[in-house]
Amino acid sequence: MDIWSLPRSRLGELIALLRARGYDVVGPTPRDGAIVYDSIESDAELPVGLGDEQSPGQYRVVPRDDGAVFGFAAGPGSFKRAFHVPEERLYRVQREGKTLRFVPEPVAPRKVALLGARGCDLSALRVLDRVLEGDRYRDERYAARRSEVLLIAVHCGSPSSTCFCSSMGTGPRAGGPWDLALTELTSGEHRFVVETGSPIGLALVRELGLLTASTLDKIHAAKVPVVAAQRITRRLEADGLGARLAKNLDHPRFAQVAERCLACANCTQVCPTCFCTTIEDFTDLDGAGAERRRRWDSCFNPEFSYIHGGPVRPSTRARYRQWMTHKLSSWHEQFGSSGCVGCGRCITWCPVGIDITEEARAIASAGTSEKAT
Amino acid sequence: MRTPKKPKLAVFKLASCDGCQLSLLDCEDELLAVAGAVEIAYFLEASSRIVKAPYDLTLVEGSITTAHDAERLQQIRKMSKKLITIGACATAGGIQALRNFADVAEYARVVYARPEYLSTLATSTAVAAHVPVDFELRGCPVSKAQLLEVLNAFLNGRPPRIGSHSVCLDCKRKGTVCVMVAHGTPCLGPVTHSGCDALCPSYTRGCFGCFGPSASAHPSALRPALTRLGKTDAEVARLYATFNAAAPTFAAEHQALAPKKGPAA
């Protein structure tokens, strides 16, 4: 497989080419003090020369002196929003005489190119694919939105302190499948080393008329995610974690973390794999019609598990335990993988900085040490 | 064929600023539809025409701060098939419930030239503390959209779709960047009941807690984050001592943190 070189000055041409081919390009862009994913029209909208500093409960955009375009880690948003939308109408019902007419809400066809997807984000999409279209309970709306998606990955060179993808096996190098994968090199002439992973990716490279990358650049590019991995200090010991957590469901640590937990649902909303929704029915004021809507919801809301008589999980302890053990333990049985990709969003965007790696370590290690603090 | 009689709507006011009932008049686009669906039987803010009780649906704004209102409320309940309270005053006692944590006589002396003319209770309390309430709609003021949803649900005989989750969930659905984590702005969103569509954070302001505590509100857990952002205990207490000061979850927090005399002022 050949490897190519894209000068930084020509990145805009790639975006223009994608747009000319009818893709809505969704990529990183600075907004309101964060780097978020949104539709972009040119490379001027990318976070040029911006990085981030993250720690539990804190995020700041900071300038970089190398002009890097992809020099940041996971932000508050993920690509989940593009396919598993926060709120939508599913159908309307119209009263017609003595019958009801159901009118499903169509999903507008849209070709999407995800620009700058990191290994964690791509892994998260694969997890969501498995959940939402991987078996007989297919979410046709998600599947429709996901049907024409071009993936342009970036091998990560700028992990934050809350990242732990290396221990989850999801990064910093972005695992395929992707159509193109870029590695950004800023020393010397600012450029991207480009790998192709599909016929469409190769066609894009050919249309741009890219030259093959030098041997030296290939070596430099291969080092980028390796060096990034060395900078990642946070870890989740993923081997056997699910089984160890499942054995310790009554661990006192769950009550302790519940004392610190706000049950505000932020962790579930920033998580790129949390998929829970609620279904709500509304009527027209005159009762002539009604509609059914679906919105993002969270297992941290008491209402989420409400059935006749009360919520199934009445305490924050029960709800935190549900979230963590589903993500790290029962997800394996249900969907054949971990529900966590190690992006660290739940740690950064928890207003009080609760760290899932720290909690999981404490709870899973109880078998070897009963001292749970 | 006889047309079914329209349900009779009444709107009553206790100790309050009128802002919540104004939200109903503020439903400009939908006001005609509402007026067409109900008979406005008692709504002094909108019309001096009064239709006799009983009322099918009664909205009550305001809190109980006088013995006279406490008695009136009993009458209102008796006249009403369904009684729904609207706003922070009616659901939590309002800003005037700061008196619950202070000496009302002292307040009266400071404010009024002739405090002996006043006849007031020592506390401001929610309507539900006095009579059974069918539904409580929060907010200072209530959200127009939620008020319409409550009326709509009543007219169609279904439960209102009013979530009790935190403001954070609404910020995330909207894609608003977290003002606390990304800007270092103190925000009550994580403990506050949704309903305003996360208004303040979408203008890069911290949440003021106008809708009172969310179903799972845990203010003591938010304390370390507010402290880290530079708030003293007295300042944190002050954040909770506003429109929903007497909502039990908020009251516990500002009482735990307030300097030992009276509420934070």
Side-chain angles (χ1 to χ4, degrees), chain A residues 31-32 60 81 283 296, chain B residues 152 158 172-173 175 181 183:
Chain A
R31 198 187 74 210
D32 295 335
R60 292 292 183 276
R81 175 175 290 269
T283 46
W296 283 358
Chain B
N152 183 327
R158 62 177 174 86
K172 291 296 184 282
R173 283 174 179 157
V181 170
H183 308 165

Side-chain angles (χ1 to χ4, degrees), chain B residues 16-77:
Chain B
S16 60
C17 78
D18 289 33
C20 290
Q21 41 176 321
L22 277 178
S23 299
L24 187 56
L25 293 177
D26 197 27
C27 295
E28 291 158 5
D29 294 338
E30 301 87 356
L31 190 58
L32 286 177
V34 172
V38 298
E39 179 184 11
I40 295 178
Y42 184 98
F43 187 7
L44 297 184
E45 185 96 22
S47 164
S48 52
R49 174 176 168 267
I50 294 174
V51 179
K52 274 198 316 194
Y55 305 121
D56 297 293
L57 175 63
T58 294
L59 304 178
V60 177
E61 173 198 277
S63 67
I64 296 295
T65 58
T66 65
H68 174 246
D69 272 353
E71 209 166 293
R72 248 178 88 213
L73 180 59
Q74 298 298 332
Q75 295 306 315
I76 292 169
R77 177 68 264 193

Side-chain angles (χ1 to χ4, degrees), chain A residues 31-32 57 59-60 81 86 258-261 263-264 266 269-270 283-285 287 295-296 301 303 319 348 352, chain B residues 33-34 149 152 156 158 161 164-166 168-169 172-173 175 177 180-184 216 218 221-222 225 228:
Chain A
R31 198 187 74 210
D32 295 335
Y59 175 100
R60 292 292 183 276
R81 175 175 290 269
E259 278 304 302
R260 297 166 57 214
C261 177
C264 62
N266 274 306
Q269 302 304 290
V270 295
T283 46
D284 296 347
L285 193 66
R295 316 172 80 187
W296 283 358
N301 292 333
E303 283 172 337
R319 296 198 287 273
T348 297
V352 292
Chain B
V34 172
E149 165 61 11
N152 183 327
N156 287 290
R158 62 177 174 86
R161 292 281 175 193
S164 62
H165 54 266
S166 74
C168 298
L169 182 58
K172 291 296 184 282
R173 283 174 179 157
V177 174
M180 189 135 101
V181 170
H183 308 165
S216 56
H218 192 186
L222 187 61
R228 192 173 74 160

Side-chain angles (χ1 to χ4, degrees), chain A residues 71-369:
Chain A
F72 53 87
S78 70
F79 291 122
K80 172 172 84 173
R81 175 175 290 269
F83 310 115
H84 184 57
V85 299
E87 176 165 10
E88 63 181 330
R89 179 194 292 159
L90 300 179
Y91 55 80
R92 274 198 58 80
V93 192
Q94 212 60 42
R95 222 191 270 279
E96 286 180 357
K98 286 191 172 174
T99 62
L100 297 175
R101 191 163 64 95
F102 289 76
V103 186
E105 184 79 6
V107 176
R110 175 178 174 231
K111 288 168 74 176
V112 183
L114 302 184
L115 175 63
R118 300 303 167 89
C120 53
D121 286 332
L122 290 173
S123 295
L125 271 186
R126 287 194 291 271
V127 170
L128 270 189
D129 289 348
R130 170 66 188 85
V131 172
L132 297 175
E133 48 178 344
D135 62 15
R136 64 186 190 278
Y137 306 109
R138 254 171 82 85
D139 181 338
E140 296 300 340
R141 307 182 71 79
Y142 175 88
R145 292 191 174 97
R146 192 70 179 83
S147 63
E148 272 198 273
V149 178
L150 189 80
L151 300 173
I152 302 178
V154 167
H155 298 310
C156 185
S158 50
S160 84
S161 90
T162 50
C163 294
F164 54 102
C165 64
S166 47
S167 54
M168 301 308 290
T170 60
R173 192 183 152 78
W178 28 251
D179 296 285
L180 292 177
L182 316 182
T183 308
E184 186 167 25
L185 298 176
T186 54
S187 62
E189 192 209 348
H190 192 166
R191 63 211 179 279
F192 301 94
V193 170
V194 182
E195 297 159 73
T196 55
S198 73
I200 301 178
L202 190 60
L204 289 169
V205 163
R206 295 211 191 286
E207 204 161 332
L208 287 167
L210 300 187
L211 302 176
T212 53
S214 70
T215 307
L216 201 57
D217 268 8
K218 289 180 198 170
I219 294 169
H220 283 316
K223 271 189 189 163
V224 166
V226 176
V227 172
Q230 287 163 357
R231 286 173 40 209
I232 294 174
T233 52
R234 206 169 292 270
R235 289 191 60 76
L236 190 61
E237 296 302 337
D239 277 349
L241 178 64
R244 280 180 281 137
L245 289 175
K247 267 192 276 178
N248 292 325
L249 295 177
D250 293 319
H251 198 287
R253 181 85 178 199
F254 282 118
Q256 290 158 8
V257 71
E259 278 304 302
R260 297 166 57 214
C261 177
L262 293 160
C264 62
N266 274 306
C267 49
T268 58
Q269 302 304 290
V270 295
C271 177
T273 69
C274 272
F275 56 84
C276 286
T277 54
T278 183
I279 299 285
E280 296 180 329
D281 293 339
F282 295 94
T283 46
D284 296 347
L285 193 66
D286 62 6
E291 64 181 49
R292 174 161 286 189
R293 303 185 70 83
R294 180 167 70 178
R295 316 172 80 187
W296 283 358
D297 202 350
S298 172
C299 53
F300 277 92
N301 292 333
E303 283 172 337
F304 183 72
S305 67
Y306 184 89
I307 56 170
H308 174 76
V312 172
R313 301 178 201 105
S315 65
T316 299
R317 172 182 169 276
R319 296 198 287 273
Y320 184 89
R321 182 174 70 179
Q322 159 65 21
W323 176 68
M324 179 211 261
T325 59
H326 186 213
K327 195 105 327 207
L328 302 178
S329 179
S330 53
W331 205 291
H332 287 276
E333 294 148 39
Q334 199 178 1
F335 303 118
S337 74
S338 172
C340 175
V341 296
C343 69
R345 286 181 174 93
C346 60
I347 304 172
T348 297
W349 297 95
C350 172
V352 292
I354 293 172
D355 180 346
I356 190 173
T357 65
E358 198 182 313
E359 299 309 314
R361 187 174 309 117
I363 291 161
S365 65
T368 50
S369 160

